[in-house]
Amino acid sequence: MEDDTGISFGDIYRNNGRFKAEILDIQKCILLKKDAQHWARNLRFMTTSNETALDDFEDSKSSVSASSTSDPCDCNDYSLRSFTNDDNAVLEIKQIPNCVHYVAVSYCWRRAGVQDLDTTSTHQARLIKTTDGLRPCRAPPAIINRAIRHARAYDCSLVWIDQECIEQDDREDKEFGIQSMDLTYQRSIHPVGILDLCIYSQPQLDALALLVEGIAPVEHHWPDLADILEKVAQNAWFTRAWIIQESTSAQDMTLLIELSEDLEKPAFMTTRYNPDELEITTEEFRSAVSFASVMLDQARDVPPKLRSRLERSIEILSTICPASLWTDMEPETDSSSDLQFSFDPRYRYACNAAQAFHYLRNRKNSRTADRLAIFANLCNYAVRLNTLSLHEHSFSGCLMTLALLNGDITILHMIRQCPNLLEPEVSTAGFSWAPDLSSCLADIGALDEWGSRLRFDFAISEKGLSTRGWLWDIRSKIHFDELRQTLRKQIFVNGATYHSMQKEFFWSLICDLMKRQHTGLADLVWHCVRTSYMFHSRKGTRETYKFEVPSNITDIIDPATNDFIFRCPPVINKAEDYPAMIAYFHSSSYQWIYERILEDGFLWYGGVVDHDEDVEVAPSAIFDQSTSGYVFTPYGEGIDVFPRPQLKSDPISWAVERYQRFPLKLACKGLISGAFKIGKAKMGDYTLA
């Protein structure tokens, strides 16, 4: 399998209908996450052998102490010897089920035939006891010794490292290993990233320490900061695809960077057990890099070339754990886990397919098919693809299928889609929802604010994409001529922008709808853009008071008289105070409403079609479309909750045409954004042809 993300779907699938046939064939190669979870609950670990040295390997029967952990865990039932400072101690592999008290090591594999860059290293290969006798460790000796020193510092008797703890000659074991790599790091109490890097310069170390402590750099610090950040950014650890899913799956990974013995080490970044190793968590590192970016933006004394070096390094280092994986995403819960510990091993972060593609764009790995597992791990997909069965298939087709099997439509949104097809079976793609065959996955550009992790329930078959959801009949039009004229005057005469007037715009829109007796639509827009709480402080005091903003527009504007009936002096008292109740964050997601009114002067609206009676219910939706027509919204958990702060205005609905009435079959024209309220409207079963 080759990485063909830069090749158009039309060039990949040259024969008519080949895309459809490929999708149907690929989905036969599924692997369920629950199978990977079983593998991850029965990990093998590297630990100290009962025979502590090679000389007594044959005969020694040393007394062994139990695990020192007091947390409830299956490892307490095993006799485990603590790691020693003897670099020649014999190790062994033990399988212990349901254990989380281990160091999970993230590091860069070296390609076969590539020698250790550190030719002065004194590390000797350790020996591992197996059922077939002794064998040398496969992982680099320096990595193993640093991992063991870290484990000793935290009184941990188990180390998980992929080269040693996955059977490298067993392809099936490796397959389960890569499909559950995220779980391995997620459940580890001590995940650690070991960088093949040593700091020799005291000024560079001091400059890095300043960032971690949040102390603003001054002029003479910037050259040393550029040197150390560049040195770290050039480390291979920041170029590998596996690393990003390991660092984001772990709860808070600790990074290890070696320090020269003659340096004066900052106490808050080292431990007394491991004084020559700098320790910094991924959260501390991410905060330090973010702080460096802010300080650089504010600095006026940084020469252009030096600034450019700093900006390049900051951009690379920011990918250690992309900000949106931490801020835009809600923690994912693995509800099937039966583990109970003092920390929650089910807590993790995830992203969608488009984001994962963006983050992995400049990350490399040796086997292309493995990227499918990395995508699945980053997105925490329940359905996986068995990479052992996909050698003859396109990577682009596999990734598209993987996302759709998990109800993730973000890739479809980020690339061009097919035009309106009333007879989808005659298209070369075979499906109306397929991407435009002139597009390719590399078309996924810089991410916008589309951060939805909503997953739908799709089934792919010869007939199309089967799912449940709601069909909207959007055929009514409401004009906003006066509001449009006001907008054009503010823009072209006063130089206003959307962001400078978005609160006033949405409040004017809501008031206009109320005056025209479109109370339901006014309430719909209000729910989408309102804030939940506002704060004010009494004059002359430091006391802050919070009050709740009414959730229904009829509690603010009387629908009979259009009078303002809600007040909260001194914050909401006069007519010009009311736009303050519009939230910038929420209203920014509905900029398309502003653009539709500015461009067309009207909005299309309508309601759900009852799939049993074939009649329209009360108007409760506005969609981003220039003409009337049907719109289909598939069901996903949380989509019927109103308002939907997580979804905002993401394009999760399809503009469609009815292709077949019984059973209901729809031809897709493209994904669009909308504002809708489902209420008690019934779902129907549909097939997207």
Side-chain angles (χ1 to χ4, degrees):
M1 178 183 288
E2 300 293 331
D3 184 349
D4 54 10
T5 54
I7 304 174
S8 71
F9 286 100
D11 287 336
I12 296 173
Y13 305 108
R14 292 181 178 275
N15 299 326
N16 284 1
R18 183 55 193 161
F19 175 85
K20 180 177 181 177
E22 177 95 332
I23 296 293
L24 295 175
D25 198 28
I26 291 171
Q27 72 160 343
K28 298 175 184 177
C29 306
I30 64 170
L31 179 70
L32 298 180
K33 184 180 179 181
K34 64 181 182 181
D35 297 325
Q37 288 173 333
H38 175 77
W39 188 95
R41 291 193 188 100
N42 292 273
L43 294 177
R44 306 177 195 95
F45 300 103
M46 189 168 62
T47 187
T48 296
S49 172
N50 291 352
E51 294 78 19
T52 59
L54 183 60
D55 292 340
D56 55 14
F57 176 72
E58 298 293 338
D59 305 313
S60 174
K61 295 183 179 181
S62 306
S63 60
V64 183
S65 60
S67 172
S68 61
T69 177
S70 59
D71 293 328
C73 183
D74 283 10
C75 66
N76 289 324
D77 297 331
Y78 289 76
S79 294
L80 301 173
R81 181 184 293 277
S82 297
F83 288 111
T84 69
N85 59 3
D86 180 6
D87 288 350
N88 294 316
V90 176
L91 304 172
E92 69 174 305
I93 301 297
K94 284 189 177 181
Q95 187 170 29
I96 301 178
N98 296 329
C99 178
V100 298
H101 298 97
Y102 59 92
V103 171
V105 181
S106 172
Y107 69 106
C108 287
W109 280 44
R110 289 200 179 87
R111 297 188 303 276
V114 177
Q115 292 184 342
D116 194 323
L117 296 177
D118 183 7
T119 57
T120 64
S121 174
T122 58
H123 296 288
Q124 299 297 318
R126 289 197 183 225
L127 295 176
I128 288 188
K129 173 187 173 184
T130 70
T131 54
D132 297 325
L134 293 175
R135 67 163 174 82
C137 288
R138 305 183 187 108
I143 296 295
I144 288 182
N145 289 337
R146 291 172 69 187
I148 287 175
R149 285 201 303 268
H150 184 76
R152 285 184 61 232
Y154 291 93
D155 198 21
C156 187
S157 301
L158 301 171
V159 170
W160 187 92
I161 187 166
D162 52 3
Q163 277 183 285
E164 307 298 343
C165 301
I166 296 177
E167 292 296 340
Q168 299 300 311
D169 296 328
D170 185 337
R171 189 57 221 178
E172 184 174 337
D173 192 58
K174 289 181 71 173
E175 180 66 19
F176 279 116
I178 65 174
Q179 297 286 357
S180 59
M181 198 72 72
D182 57 331
L183 300 176
T184 302
Y185 289 90
Q186 176 186 333
R187 288 177 170 151
S188 168
I189 281 185
H190 300 293
V192 59
I194 300 181
L195 277 64
D196 184 12
L197 176 67
C198 185
I199 298 176
Y200 296 97
S201 166
Q202 187 70 53
Q204 290 179 14
L205 178 58
D206 293 342
L208 181 60
L210 282 178
L211 290 185
V212 177
E213 288 188 286
I215 299 175
V218 294
E219 183 177 359
H220 72 273
H221 290 135
W222 289 113
D224 292 314
L225 269 177
D227 290 340
I228 187 59
L229 292 181
E230 200 168 59
K231 185 173 184 177
V232 176
Q234 291 173 352
N235 189 268
W237 199 81
F238 292 92
T239 68
R240 306 299 290 170
W242 286 110
I243 299 297
I244 194 170
Q245 56 108 37
E246 293 164 3
S247 63
T248 54
S249 298
Q251 294 194 57
D252 195 8
M253 180 175 283
T254 298
L255 302 184
L256 299 184
I257 299 175
E258 285 190 297
L259 300 174
S260 177
E261 294 181 1
D262 58 345
L263 295 183
E264 184 178 340
K265 289 89 174 176
F268 67 94
M269 296 174 72
T270 58
T271 67
R272 63 186 179 91
Y273 298 103
N274 212 359
D276 294 329
E277 199 88 72
L278 183 149
E279 296 187 10
I280 180 172
T281 68
T282 49
E283 173 61 16
E284 291 170 337
F285 188 84
R286 189 176 69 87
S287 297
V289 172
S290 178
F291 180 66
S293 179
V294 172
M295 291 297 99
L296 184 61
D297 287 341
Q298 296 177 0
R300 297 292 178 264
D301 52 0
V302 181
K305 288 186 178 180
L306 184 60
R307 181 180 294 273
S308 179
R309 289 176 57 202
L310 286 158
E311 288 173 344
R312 283 197 303 270
S313 297
I314 288 172
E315 181 181 3
I316 294 172
L317 296 175
S318 296
T319 65
I320 184 176
C321 189
S324 64
L325 289 176
W326 290 84
T327 58
D328 292 347
M329 303 295 127
E330 288 295 320
E332 181 74 13
T333 299
D334 170 17
S335 58
S336 64
S337 173
D338 56 5
L339 303 179
Q340 298 293 326
F341 296 104
S342 57
F343 82 113
D344 190 351
R346 299 169 299 176
Y347 189 86
R348 58 104 37 95
Y349 292 86
C351 64
N352 60 48
Q355 287 175 316
F357 186 89
H358 179 75
Y359 299 138
L360 291 170
R361 185 186 299 273
N362 297 317
R363 298 263 182 159
K364 307 299 180 184
N365 65 294
S366 56
R367 181 173 176 263
T368 301
D370 285 352
R371 293 179 79 83
L372 296 170
I374 297 173
F375 268 93
N377 291 341
L378 275 173
C379 299
N380 198 25
Y381 283 157
V383 178
R384 311 296 180 98
L385 291 177
N386 189 332
T387 68
L388 298 178
S389 307
L390 300 170
H391 301 298
E392 303 301 321
H393 294 287
S394 156
F395 175 75
S396 293
C398 288
L399 183 55
M400 182 73 71
T401 306
L402 175 65
L404 289 173
L405 288 172
N406 288 277
D408 186 341
I409 61 174
T410 55
I411 288 181
L412 284 178
H413 160 61
M414 295 296 289
I415 58 178
R416 296 187 304 279
Q417 291 194 270
C418 288
N420 180 12
L421 298 171
L422 296 182
E423 297 183 359
E425 73 273 9
V426 303
S427 89
T428 53
F431 292 124
S432 64
W433 43 264
D436 188 316
L437 293 185
S438 66
S439 67
C440 63
L441 291 185
D443 290 341
I444 298 177
L447 290 181
D448 55 16
E449 294 183 359
W450 209 57
S452 174
R453 224 169 15 95
L454 181 68
R455 304 282 165 82
F456 303 102
D457 187 10
F458 291 146
I460 306 174
S461 68
E462 180 77 23
K463 297 178 181 179
L465 207 60
S466 298
T467 186
R468 306 201 74 203
W470 298 268
L471 184 65
W472 309 87
D473 191 2
I474 309 298
R475 298 190 183 277
S476 300
K477 184 192 296 185
I478 181 169
H479 288 268
F480 298 94
D481 296 333
E482 185 177 338
L483 179 56
R484 186 190 189 197
Q485 290 177 3
T486 301
L487 290 178
R488 292 175 68 86
K489 180 180 178 180
Q490 290 177 326
I491 294 171
F492 299 115
V493 178
N494 301 330
T497 64
Y498 171 70
H499 296 291
S500 68
M501 60 178 179
Q502 66 189 78
K503 288 191 173 189
E504 289 73 15
F505 162 73
F506 278 105
W507 183 248
S508 298
L509 174 62
I510 291 167
C511 291
D512 195 339
L513 289 169
M514 290 294 290
K515 287 178 183 178
R516 296 202 244 174
Q517 302 300 306
H518 288 290
T519 305
L521 294 179
D523 197 56
L524 170 67
V525 175
W526 169 247
H527 272 287
C528 290
V529 301
R530 73 177 180 87
T531 188
S532 299
Y533 298 94
M534 293 189 69
F535 300 85
H536 70 91
S537 56
R538 289 184 177 176
K539 190 175 182 180
T541 72
R542 294 184 178 181
E543 297 180 4
T544 301
Y545 298 86
K546 180 175 77 172
F547 67 90
E548 187 173 353
V549 173
S551 59
N552 298 314
I553 194 62
T554 52
D555 293 329
I556 300 174
I557 302 176
D558 188 329
T561 64
N562 281 314
D563 292 334
F564 295 155
I565 56 177
F566 171 77
R567 284 179 174 78
C568 187
V571 181
I572 305 297
N573 196 31
K574 305 183 294 297
E576 56 267 27
D577 296 335
Y578 287 85
M581 294 188 292
I582 305 294
Y584 272 116
F585 175 72
H586 296 313
S587 58
S588 294
S589 304
Y590 291 89
Q591 185 171 345
W592 61 267
I593 295 178
Y594 159 86
E595 291 172 348
R596 278 292 170 198
I597 292 177
L598 182 63
E599 180 179 346
D600 301 334
F602 58 82
L603 293 173
W604 289 100
Y605 69 93
V608 173
V609 173
D610 188 310
H611 67 285
D612 291 329
E613 303 297 332
D614 200 21
V615 295
E616 181 188 331
V617 299
S620 53
I622 302 169
F623 284 97
D624 185 12
Q625 54 193 106
S626 57
T627 61
S628 62
Y630 290 108
V631 176
F632 175 72
T633 301
Y635 172 77
E637 186 177 355
I639 200 171
D640 52 348
V641 177
F642 191 77
R644 300 169 302 281
Q646 283 184 296
L647 304 184
K648 302 193 290 284
S649 179
D650 294 341
I652 54 177
S653 301
W654 272 281
V656 297
E657 292 287 349
R658 287 196 179 195
Y659 173 60
Q660 180 178 300
R661 188 165 181 178
F662 297 108
L664 288 168
K665 205 170 185 180
L666 307 172
C668 300
K669 298 191 290 184
L671 286 162
I672 59 174
S673 298
F676 51 86
K677 186 175 183 179
I678 294 169
K680 296 181 179 180
K682 292 186 293 184
M683 284 189 291
D685 295 315
Y686 294 89
T687 297
L688 305 179

